[in-house]
Amino acid sequence: TISNQGDYDSAAIILKAVKARFKELDIQRKEITKPLDEAKTKIMSLYKDPLYLLEEAESRLKRLMIDYTTEQERKAQEEQRRLQKLADAEAAKQKKILDEKIARAEASGKTEKAEELQAQKEMVAPIMAPVVAPQIDTPKGVSYRDKWTAEVIDVNLVPREYLIPNMDALTKIAQSTKGSLKISGVEFKSEKVLSSRL
């Protein structure tokens, strides 16, 4: 405990001794680790460019494969729409034929036949085109998944619980203004930090 000036002065002397011992041990540690750090730097430098090129190649190949898959899916959807359009046209054609038959039956006074044809017309169900799947044989070891991300398009509409205060900016303001600037919802605090020299 420090309860008087003598204790305080003694603590300062002990603090200097602690810092001196720390410095000695740190120098010893660096003498041992410096060659290891230099070797690591050389190894990292040796592999840096080839690893970068391989990462770029991987990224480019993945992009090309995703683009190809996306294009095949687009073509399959386009074909699906085309087939559905044909199926819808066929259903409309059948209904039109039945409408003509109903009109002829009603014109010739065959109301019973017209009612029967009307029932047939109502039974004509929409034709569902066959499902068209993309023509892709995914190679072994390759798989796809959807990666969802968020992008803020209007920060003013984002609910408050999803907003994070900019602590770096607030700390810089605290340091530069020494807490004299008032920001609602923020309290600037000061903490004493002791430093000593050898």
Side-chain angles (χ1 to χ4, degrees), residues 27-88:
I27 289 169
Q28 289 176 13
R29 177 185 63 85
K30 287 178 180 171
E31 286 173 358
I32 296 168
T33 60
K34 186 177 178 189
L36 298 174
D37 291 339
E38 289 171 355
K40 181 182 176 186
T41 300
K42 288 178 184 173
I43 292 168
M44 296 300 283
S45 177
L46 178 67
Y47 286 95
K48 181 182 176 185
D49 288 343
L51 289 175
Y52 171 77
L53 291 173
L54 290 169
E55 283 178 341
E56 287 295 306
E58 177 187 3
S59 178
R60 176 104 172 102
L61 287 167
K62 283 181 175 179
R63 180 80 260 148
L64 289 170
M65 291 172 75
I66 289 170
D67 289 348
Y68 175 78
T69 304
T70 302
E71 178 61 16
Q72 296 309 307
E73 289 170 352
R74 186 196 63 76
K75 286 179 179 178
Q77 290 170 356
E78 193 175 279
E79 180 64 8
Q80 181 75 43
R81 283 191 296 272
R82 186 187 73 78
L83 291 175
Q84 189 59 55
K85 193 174 180 180
L86 290 173
D88 293 344

Side-chain angles (χ1 to χ4, degrees), residues 30-189:
K30 287 178 180 171
E31 286 173 358
I32 296 168
T33 60
K34 186 177 178 189
L36 298 174
D37 291 339
E38 289 171 355
K40 181 182 176 186
T41 300
K42 288 178 184 173
I43 292 168
M44 296 300 283
S45 177
L46 178 67
Y47 286 95
K48 181 182 176 185
D49 288 343
L51 289 175
Y52 171 77
L53 291 173
L54 290 169
E55 283 178 341
E56 287 295 306
E58 177 187 3
S59 178
R60 176 104 172 102
L61 287 167
K62 283 181 175 179
R63 180 80 260 148
L64 289 170
M65 291 172 75
I66 289 170
D67 289 348
Y68 175 78
T69 304
T70 302
E71 178 61 16
Q72 296 309 307
E73 289 170 352
R74 186 196 63 76
K75 286 179 179 178
Q77 290 170 356
E78 193 175 279
E79 180 64 8
Q80 181 75 43
R81 283 191 296 272
R82 186 187 73 78
L83 291 175
Q84 189 59 55
K85 193 174 180 180
L86 290 173
D88 293 344
E90 180 60 31
K93 181 180 170 185
Q94 289 176 12
K95 287 183 179 182
K96 185 178 178 186
I97 291 169
L98 286 170
D99 281 338
E100 290 170 358
K101 287 182 179 180
I102 291 168
R104 283 196 302 269
E106 287 174 345
S108 61
K110 298 178 181 175
T111 55
E112 205 171 285
K113 180 70 174 170
E115 288 173 6
E116 183 182 313
L117 289 169
Q118 185 63 39
Q120 280 182 16
K121 179 183 168 187
E122 290 171 9
M123 297 282 289
V124 174
I127 300 170
M128 294 305 294
V131 175
V132 178
Q135 298 298 313
I136 305 169
D137 292 328
T138 305
K140 187 176 180 182
V142 173
S143 63
Y144 292 90
R145 63 182 173 80
D146 291 331
K147 177 184 173 187
W148 288 88
T149 58
E151 179 183 351
V152 175
I153 53 173
D154 187 345
V155 73
N156 296 318
L157 299 177
V158 177
R160 184 168 174 77
E161 63 264 25
Y162 299 110
L163 298 176
I164 299 172
N166 187 340
M167 293 307 294
D168 289 338
L170 290 171
T171 299
K172 285 177 183 172
I173 289 170
Q175 291 168 346
S176 65
T177 66
K178 299 194 182 322
S180 63
L181 182 68
K182 300 296 180 211
I183 298 177
S184 60
V186 177
E187 181 182 334
F188 292 115
K189 295 182 178 182

